[in-house]
């Protein structure tokens, strides 16, 4: 493993893991089987933490794409649409759980 300039550990190898900081945005690339149409399609992201994730205790969050970045809240926006894929920026709150999200 290596350390980034900020001191975050990242794993090298065949199955690298995404390591992010709470409250900091991160980018993901999502492939589709066709071109994403912003007028017709609606993309909902779901993040879960733990075995019995629940929205009521903050271990499950679900939201649709938006153009807004509301400070301190979960959210996401499209950065780039290219061919059959989207690059999306995901915003995380500074007080979300620390651990493995899926």
């Amino acid at each position: 493993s290596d350390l980034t300039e900020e001191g975050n550990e990242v794993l090298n190898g065949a199955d690298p893991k995404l390591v992010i900081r709470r409250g900091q945005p991160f980018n993901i690339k999502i492939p589709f089987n066709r071109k994403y149409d912003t007028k017709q399609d609606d993309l909902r992201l779901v993040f879960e933490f733990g075995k019995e994730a629940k929205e009521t205790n903050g271990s499950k969050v679900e939201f649709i794409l938006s153009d807004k970045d509301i400070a301190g809240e979960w959210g996401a926006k499209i950065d780039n649409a290219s061919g059959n894929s989207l690059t999306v920026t995901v915003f995380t709150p500074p007080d979300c759980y620390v651990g493995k999200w899926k």
Side-chain angles (χ1 to χ4, degrees), residues 19-33:
V19 178
I20 61 168
R21 297 176 65 84
R22 291 187 296 172
Q24 299 295 311
F26 63 94
N27 294 328
I28 56 175
K29 187 172 185 177
I30 305 170
F32 295 99
N33 61 0

Side-chain angles (χ1 to χ4, degrees), residues 61-90:
V61 294
E62 188 172 330
F63 50 89
I64 60 173
L65 295 177
S66 169
D67 288 334
K68 299 177 184 175
D69 173 16
I70 302 172
E73 293 187 19
W74 286 92
K77 70 173 188 155
I78 297 173
D79 277 333
N80 185 32
S82 178
N84 291 357
S85 66
L86 293 179
T87 301
V88 175
T89 297
V90 178

Side-chain angles (χ1 to χ4, degrees), residues 11-78:
L11 302 174
N12 297 319
D15 189 22
K17 306 291 183 209
L18 173 66
V19 178
I20 61 168
R21 297 176 65 84
R22 291 187 296 172
Q24 299 295 311
F26 63 94
N27 294 328
I28 56 175
K29 187 172 185 177
I30 305 170
F32 295 99
N33 61 0
R34 61 175 174 78
K35 187 175 180 178
Y36 182 82
D37 182 351
T38 57
K39 293 181 175 125
Q40 177 181 334
D41 298 324
D42 211 9
L43 180 62
R44 179 177 304 276
L45 299 178
V46 179
F47 291 87
E48 296 180 333
F49 179 82
K51 293 181 181 181
E52 296 183 26
K54 298 177 184 171
E55 289 183 30
T56 55
N57 67 7
S59 61
K60 178 180 179 180
V61 294
E62 188 172 330
F63 50 89
I64 60 173
L65 295 177
S66 169
D67 288 334
K68 299 177 184 175
D69 173 16
I70 302 172
E73 293 187 19
W74 286 92
K77 70 173 188 155
I78 297 173

